[in-house]
Amino acid sequence: MHTRLYRNGVLEKEGFPIEEVSDYVADPGNTVWFDLCCPSPADLGVIGEELGLHELAVEDVLSDHQRPKVDIYDNHLFITVYGVHFDEGQLDPVEVNIFATRNALVTVRENDHFDIRDVVKRWDANTRLAGHGVAFLLHGLLDYVVDSQFDLVQDLDTQAEALEESLFDEDGPHDGRALQRRMYELRKNTARLRKISMPMREVVGTLLHRDQDFITEPAMIPYYQDVNDHVLRVAEWVETIRDMLANVRETRLAQQGFRLNEIMKRLTSWAAIIAVPTAITGYYGQNVPYPGSGQPWGFWISTMLVAGMSVLLYVVFKKKDWL
């Protein structure tokens, strides 16, 4: 449980019981933040009554896997965003729901994989903006979420470039199955990131362009615009990575097709080389008289003919790069 009380931009108290929140919120000069992790429906009901939260917003918290969004109600905003978390190499986003009133911010985390302490550190590093109340707190939270996504998209881009370069190593990919596995995991993580990052454009855009005085104060607008710039860069970068991975996949398929053609050429060439001795020895095996039949020189002539024709075919195929 995390709670904080700001008064006139100064942190006055933290770690107090949630039961005291309603007393502090009653004073317009106070700004209150508290955090809930995996709350029960009863806990949400109590918070909803104390802050006057809309019942539909409370129901959305209890429904898993909401789309990142902003819902605007009479006395508060309801915002859904996703934090970045990896489980055994796979992206497993963590849902974070936010209630923002004029002087209170409530964060509801799906689980503790979203470390709220990192957000608190970001608030403490920018105390000069604390006087802007809820706008300051919400900005710090959104900035942390978007920066986490930005760091992830950078890492995915690095992995995609390394995967692309590995296709053209001198010896080629050594382990085709491992390469396909890397490609699959990278595409899957990119697709999951896209689902949580693309809607963030609407989230931040709504906060900037809707008339929400207690959120986008004039002094805080440049900071929200900076967050919006990062959101747009993440969205564009994700699309670039998707295109890169599609090109990698097509290149890999082209390489496999080319490799298959090379193998077929070699097999066909060796089959032709083997066919010549088979034809010659089969011909001399006919039950009819032939030159040198029953004579040692006939055997040696056929042997030299087999060897000569095989070498000739090998040289011709090698010259045409069929072997």
Side-chain angles (χ1 to χ4, degrees):
M1 189 71 66
H2 303 270
T3 55
R4 278 195 167 195
L5 169 65
Y6 291 86
R7 183 168 183 80
N8 298 324
V10 178
L11 177 61
E12 286 198 351
K13 193 175 183 180
E14 58 182 327
F16 52 86
I18 287 185
E19 290 75 14
E20 300 178 12
V21 167
S22 57
D23 297 332
Y24 296 131
V25 171
D27 187 347
N30 293 336
T31 300
V32 178
W33 165 72
F34 62 94
D35 171 74
L36 301 173
C37 185
C38 305
S40 65
D43 294 335
L44 287 175
V46 172
I47 298 301
E49 291 180 0
E50 290 189 0
L51 298 180
L53 304 178
H54 198 282
E55 60 181 9
L56 292 178
V58 176
E59 288 180 5
D60 284 345
V61 176
L62 299 174
S63 302
D64 294 335
H65 307 299
Q66 292 288 321
R67 183 176 184 272
K69 62 177 182 176
V70 176
D71 290 336
I72 301 175
Y73 297 98
D74 292 338
N75 63 333
H76 70 90
L77 299 179
F78 175 72
I79 306 170
T80 299
V81 296
Y82 283 85
V84 172
H85 169 69
F86 275 87
D87 184 12
E88 297 182 353
Q90 294 188 357
L91 178 61
D92 183 23
V94 182
E95 183 175 342
V96 181
N97 296 291
I98 306 163
F99 296 99
T101 69
R102 188 165 296 277
N103 64 336
L105 185 77
V106 183
T107 54
V108 184
R109 293 175 290 148
E110 180 182 9
N111 53 53
D112 58 3
H113 291 155
F114 184 90
D115 194 349
I116 199 67
R117 292 173 296 182
D118 292 334
V119 180
V120 173
K121 291 178 182 178
R122 186 159 299 208
W123 288 335
D124 292 341
N126 295 278
T127 54
R128 60 186 180 84
L129 300 175
H132 298 290
V134 173
F136 156 72
L137 296 175
L138 181 60
H139 167 265
L141 177 58
L142 294 178
D143 191 45
Y144 171 77
V145 169
V146 174
D147 282 353
S148 299
Q149 296 177 1
F150 190 84
D151 292 339
L152 175 58
V153 78
Q154 281 185 308
D155 181 61
L156 293 178
D157 182 68
T158 301
Q159 293 182 43
E161 289 183 351
L163 186 64
E164 190 176 42
E165 292 177 0
S166 70
L167 294 177
F168 299 99
D169 288 344
E170 291 185 2
D171 299 330
H174 297 286
D175 190 342
R177 289 184 178 273
L179 180 66
Q180 290 178 349
R181 184 67 185 178
R182 285 173 56 198
M183 192 182 306
Y184 166 76
E185 291 179 351
L186 192 53
R187 291 181 63 194
K188 190 171 184 179
N189 288 335
T190 302
R192 288 183 175 179
L193 177 60
R194 185 175 185 271
K195 289 181 180 179
I196 65 175
S197 62
M198 295 295 284
M200 287 297 294
R201 297 179 298 180
E202 300 176 16
V203 172
V204 181
T206 300
L207 295 176
L208 278 172
H209 300 124
R210 294 297 292 266
D211 185 17
Q212 303 295 328
D213 295 338
F214 65 97
I215 297 297
T216 51
E217 298 181 7
M220 291 297 297
I221 287 180
Y223 296 95
Y224 278 87
Q225 288 176 335
D226 180 68
V227 174
N228 189 55
D229 177 64
H230 286 184
V231 167
L232 295 177
R233 290 177 63 188
V234 169
E236 293 171 358
W237 212 338
V238 167
E239 292 300 315
T240 301
I241 294 174
R242 290 184 73 216
D243 293 340
M244 186 184 302
L245 292 176
N247 292 334
V248 169
R249 182 172 179 270
E250 292 176 1
T251 302
R252 177 61 176 166
L253 291 175
Q255 284 183 329
Q256 290 177 327
F258 178 76
R259 179 62 177 167
L260 180 60
N261 289 337
E262 289 293 310
I263 294 173
M264 291 302 299
K265 284 197 303 181
R266 284 168 170 77
L267 289 176
T268 304
S269 299
W270 282 114
I273 292 174
I274 296 172
V276 170
T278 303
I280 294 174
T281 55
Y283 176 79
Y284 277 96
Q286 292 180 3
N287 192 21
V288 294
Y290 58 89
S293 177
Q295 301 294 325
W297 63 268
F299 167 77
W300 290 111
I301 287 178
S302 65
T303 301
M304 292 173 61
L305 186 61
V306 167
M309 291 298 296
S310 298
V311 171
L312 178 63
L313 286 173
Y314 178 83
V315 171
V316 171
F317 292 153
K318 192 69 175 179
K319 186 176 181 180
K320 292 187 176 182
D321 197 26
W322 287 7
L323 285 173

